[in-house]
Amino acid sequence: MSGTILVTLYRDEVAPRFDLASEVLLVTVNDEGHEMRRQELVLAHASADDLCDLILDREVSVVITGGMEDEHYHYLRWKRLDVLDGVAGLAEDALSRHLRGELRSGDILFPRGGHG
Amino acid sequence: MDSTLATLAPLASPFLGLAASGLNRADLPRILRDLPFGVAVVDLERRTLMLNAALERLTGFASDEAAGVPCRHILRGSFCQHQCPPLCCAKTGESPCRATSREGTLINRHRRKIHVRLTSVPVLDAEGAHVCTLEVIEDLTPLKELEARLTRTAGPGAIVGRCPAMEHLLRIMPAVAQSDAAVLLTGESGTGKDLLAEALHRASPRTRESFVRVNATPMPEALLDVELFGQAGGAEGEAPRPGKFQLAQNGTIYLSEIADMPLAQQGRLLRLLDEKAVTPAGGDRPMRLNVRVLAATARDPEGLVEAGLLREDLFHRLNAVRLHLPPVRERGEDVQFLLTHFLGVYTTKFRKQLLGFTQEALALLSAYDYPGNVRELRNMVEYAVMVCPGDMIGTEHLPPQVHFPASPRGEPEGGAPRGKHPHGKRGTA
C-alpha cells in the first residue's frame, strides 16, 4: 500500500481529462495506508507528456484520473504504475476509496439518477 | 481546491421546467433517440439528464449511468473546463439565448480521442427562462482524416527521386531526422527545401510537437527581435508575448532563408544554439528552450560568409549537417520519374483517366531545363492534366514556356544555363 498517489484535479474533483489537468494532488502513504505527506502542485501548463514525466520523476505508484488516452495509459502501465482512469467524482472521495481498496477504473462516484 | 457548485447542490427535478412549458419529459428521449448525431440533455447545473443512442456509442456511457453526473465527466471535452458557454454566461450573469458551436476533442470511455464539434443549444420556456441545454455533438473524425490526408504534403514519402544524389539524401534522411543536430539545407529555389525541412520534422521524435517556419522578412530589428525571441511581460501587467522560438518549444524551428536574418539576430541565434536559452526582448531572465533548428538558403553559404551576410561562427554551427537538394537539370533521369510521379498525383486529384505523355511532349519536357526546379515541373504537370481532355498529354497541353523557353538576361537560346547559380557556380549534387 505504501507509495505516492497522484490525483489529477479540476477544482475539488478528479480532473475529467488527464491531458487537460493543470493541478495535481500528491499524497504519500505508509504501509498501513496512513497519509504521511500531502502536496498540491499547480502545473505550468496542461500536457499529458509533461504529466507523465512528473509522475515518473516523483516516483508515483498510483495515478487516479479521469479520461485518458490509450497511449498514455499503456505507457504508465508499461512503467508498472497502477492507473485508475475514467474516475468521475470528488478527489477526496476517490482518494479515500482507493485507500480502502474500493476504487476501480471507470468508477462514477457522483450521485446518480436525477430523472426525478 | 475550491468547491464545485454542481457537485454540492441537491439534485433538482430536472424536467420540471420542460413540463411547465408544455413538453412532456417522456417525449425528449423518444425525440432524440434516433438522431444521427450525439445529443446530451444537460440541466442548469451542468448535470447530464440523458444521452441519445448516438452519444452513447460515441462516449461509451449508457444514458442511465450518466444521469446526474456533471456533463464534463461524461463528454470529457477539451472545451469543458475553460470554454463551456453556459458556465461563461453564468460568470457574466447573462442568460444563454443563442446556440454556440466550437470544435475540440473528447476522450471516450475506450480511451480514444475523438475530434468533435459541440453545439450548445439552450432550451427556453415560454417566458424565455433557461430550462436546460441540448449539447449536440458531431463526430468530425472522417473530416479530420480527410483534412490530414489532403494537407499532409511533407511526409518522408513526399520527397521522391531516383538519381544518385536524391537516393543518397533519402538514405541518410531518417538518421538525420532522428538526431537533434542543427541542419543546413541548401539548394536552388523550388528544389524542395521547405518540404525536406518539414519531412525531417515529421520523421523526427519531435513530430508531435510544433513545426514553426520563420521567414526573416525585412522589418525593423527591434520588431524582428520580438517576433523571433518574444517579449517579456511589462511592468503594468502586460502579458508576455511568445516569439517564434517559444512557439516551437519542444519542436522544430525552420529558418527559411538564413541570410535574410540581420547579423544581430544571427548572433542571438548562435547563443541560443550554444546555451539552449533565450532572453525575450525587454526581459532580463533567460528562458530555457528545447528547439531543433533547421535553416535553409538558396544561395551558396560559403559565398554568404565571404560577403558578410552570414556569420561565420553561425555557419559552422548550422553546417553540422548539410543537405543539398540538386536542381532538376542535374537530376538527369529523374525528370521522367518526376513527370510520372506528378501525373499520378494530379490525375487522382482531378479524377482524370490519363495514361501518360506523348513522345513529342516527353521529348519537349525532357529537353527543358526547369529554372523553377521541381516546383515548376509540378506546376507544368498540374496545368497539363487540367487542360488535357483526352487520355494522353500532348505538346499542345503544355504551358507556353516549354515551347518558347525565355533566355536568361537576354542571352540567346543555347547560351549560359539558366536558373540561380550563386557566384557564377552551378550547384552540385
Side-chain angles (χ1 to χ4, degrees):
Chain A
M1 177 57 86
S2 67
T4 304
I5 302 158
L6 179 140
V7 188
T8 56
L9 295 177
Y10 172 64
R11 303 183 185 176
D12 58 349
E13 300 170 2
V14 176
R17 266 174 70 156
F18 180 76
D19 59 339
L20 299 178
S22 55
E23 216 177 320
V24 296
L25 172 66
L26 284 162
V27 177
T28 308
V29 293
N30 63 11
D31 286 336
E32 286 78 45
H34 292 135
E35 196 175 312
M36 305 300 291
R37 186 164 179 262
R38 168 180 286 248
Q39 189 183 13
E40 269 183 45
L41 290 180
V42 177
L43 311 174
H45 62 277
S47 153
D49 290 355
D50 290 357
L51 201 43
C52 286
D53 284 345
L54 175 87
I55 286 165
L56 298 182
D57 195 42
R58 297 290 182 121
E59 297 180 350
V60 168
S61 49
V62 181
V63 174
I64 299 173
T65 187
M68 186 181 205
E69 269 189 277
D70 219 18
E71 187 185 1
H72 297 107
Y73 174 80
H74 287 297
Y75 174 70
L76 293 177
R77 294 288 297 139
W78 176 60
K79 291 284 180 182
R80 298 179 189 280
L81 270 77
D82 284 334
V83 183
L84 301 168
D85 69 331
V87 174
L90 295 177
E92 290 299 338
D93 195 7
L95 183 64
S96 53
R97 275 175 193 247
H98 168 66
L99 293 175
R100 293 199 303 271
E102 293 171 5
L103 189 69
R104 304 279 174 274
S105 279
D107 276 355
I108 296 177
L109 312 179
F110 287 110
R112 278 186 278 173
H115 280 266
Chain B
M1 290 189 278
D2 59 5
S3 65
T4 305
L5 284 175
T7 59
L8 298 178
L11 291 175
S13 183
F15 281 105
L16 212 59
L18 280 183
S21 65
L23 265 176
N24 188 334
R25 54 167 280 192
D27 288 342
L28 254 187
R30 186 176 50 78
I31 293 166
L32 302 176
R33 187 181 56 215
D34 295 326
L35 288 178
F37 36 78
V39 183
V41 184
V42 173
D43 72 8
L44 301 186
E45 307 287 346
R46 306 298 297 156
R47 282 187 303 246
T48 311
L49 301 178
M50 65 148 291
L51 310 179
N52 75 345
L55 196 56
E56 283 183 332
R57 284 194 297 274
L58 200 67
T59 59
F61 287 101
S63 185
D64 287 346
E65 60 184 342
V69 178
C71 60
R72 55 185 168 272
H73 287 276
I74 300 300
L75 302 181
R76 298 165 170 179
S78 53
F79 28 70
C80 287
Q81 288 177 217
H82 303 295
Q83 297 163 291
C84 177
L87 286 185
C88 295
C89 290
K91 275 182 194 165
T92 56
E94 293 170 34
S95 176
C97 53
R98 281 186 304 113
T100 50
S101 283
R102 57 234 174 271
E103 285 185 20
T105 57
L106 60 80
I107 293 182
N108 71 8
R109 216 174 191 181
H110 312 298
R111 304 191 182 99
R112 195 160 74 86
K113 191 185 254 187
I114 303 168
H115 286 276
V116 292
R117 182 188 294 117
L118 171 81
T119 306
S120 299
V121 185
V123 177
L124 309 179
D125 66 11
E127 277 79 45
H130 189 195
V131 177
C132 64
T133 307
L134 298 184
E135 302 290 359
V136 183
I137 294 178
E138 297 158 80
D139 182 358
L140 298 183
T141 309
L143 290 176
K144 287 288 170 185
E145 281 172 1
L146 180 66
E147 188 185 29
R149 243 190 354 260
L150 294 176
T151 56
R152 196 181 300 130
T153 54
I159 313 264
V160 292
R162 295 221 172 130
C163 69
M166 288 305 291
E167 281 197 339
H168 172 69
L169 191 70
L170 292 170
R171 204 166 43 245
I172 64 170
M173 211 180 93
V176 174
Q178 286 302 312
S179 89
D180 233 10
V183 180
L184 182 62
L185 308 173
T186 57
E188 292 177 13
S189 174
T191 48
K193 296 185 293 299
D194 295 4
L195 200 62
L196 180 58
E198 212 176 327
L200 283 172
H201 171 72
R202 297 260 172 264
S204 77
R206 296 169 180 264
T207 182
R208 288 170 68 98
E209 304 295 338
S210 39
F211 175 78
V212 177
R213 185 180 162 169
V214 177
N215 223 334
T217 44
M219 63 169 85
E221 278 192 20
L223 266 183
L224 184 62
D225 223 32
V226 173
E227 184 75 16
L228 291 177
F229 304 106
Q231 186 158 34
E236 291 159 14
E238 282 172 45
R241 184 180 155 189
K244 299 279 189 191
F245 280 90
Q246 283 93 338
L247 293 176
Q249 175 71 311
N250 296 327
T252 307
I253 195 159
Y254 170 53
L255 308 161
S256 65
E257 181 49 80
I258 187 69
D260 283 349
M261 187 182 271
L263 291 174
Q265 273 71 34
Q266 288 186 25
R268 296 194 67 184
L269 173 60
L270 182 69
R271 275 203 302 282
L272 172 79
L273 288 169
D274 284 338
E275 297 165 14
K276 304 268 181 220
V278 68
T279 310
D284 49 8
R285 288 174 58 193
M287 180 185 283
R288 286 203 66 75
L289 282 184
N290 171 23
V291 177
R292 186 186 194 186
V293 177
L294 307 178
T297 179
R299 293 176 268 176
D300 170 36
E302 281 85 1
L304 288 169
V305 172
E306 275 174 39
L309 294 170
L310 179 63
R311 283 178 65 128
E312 190 173 359
D313 41 11
L314 178 63
F315 164 65
H316 290 303
R317 193 70 178 71
L318 292 174
N319 205 30
V321 180
R322 183 158 162 184
L323 299 178
H324 179 73
L325 285 153
V328 170
R329 63 179 176 280
E330 289 176 7
R331 287 174 67 170
E333 68 272 34
D334 255 6
V335 173
Q336 289 208 7
F337 171 72
L338 289 171
L339 289 170
T340 314
H341 170 75
F342 287 118
L343 181 71
V345 170
Y346 289 110
T347 48
T348 308
K349 185 173 177 185
F350 297 131
R351 294 166 190 251
K352 292 206 168 184
Q353 306 286 326
L354 293 176
L355 301 174
F357 300 87
T358 62
Q359 283 301 319
E360 297 77 21
L362 211 51
L364 211 53
L365 286 164
S366 301
Y368 187 67
D369 71 353
Y370 301 96
N373 290 299
V374 184
R375 186 185 291 130
E376 186 181 14
L377 184 147
R378 186 194 64 199
N379 291 347
M380 276 184 183
V381 178
E382 183 179 11
Y383 173 86
V385 172
M386 219 183 303
V387 301
C388 178
D391 55 7
M392 293 293 277
I393 293 175
T395 52
E396 67 275 24
H397 305 126
L398 300 178
Q401 69 263 34
V402 188
H403 299 278
F404 312 105
S407 301
R409 295 179 291 278
E411 286 164 11
E413 193 58 33
R418 289 181 286 128
K420 281 190 210 168
H421 306 303
H423 309 284
K425 289 188 285 188
R426 293 186 71 163
T428 51

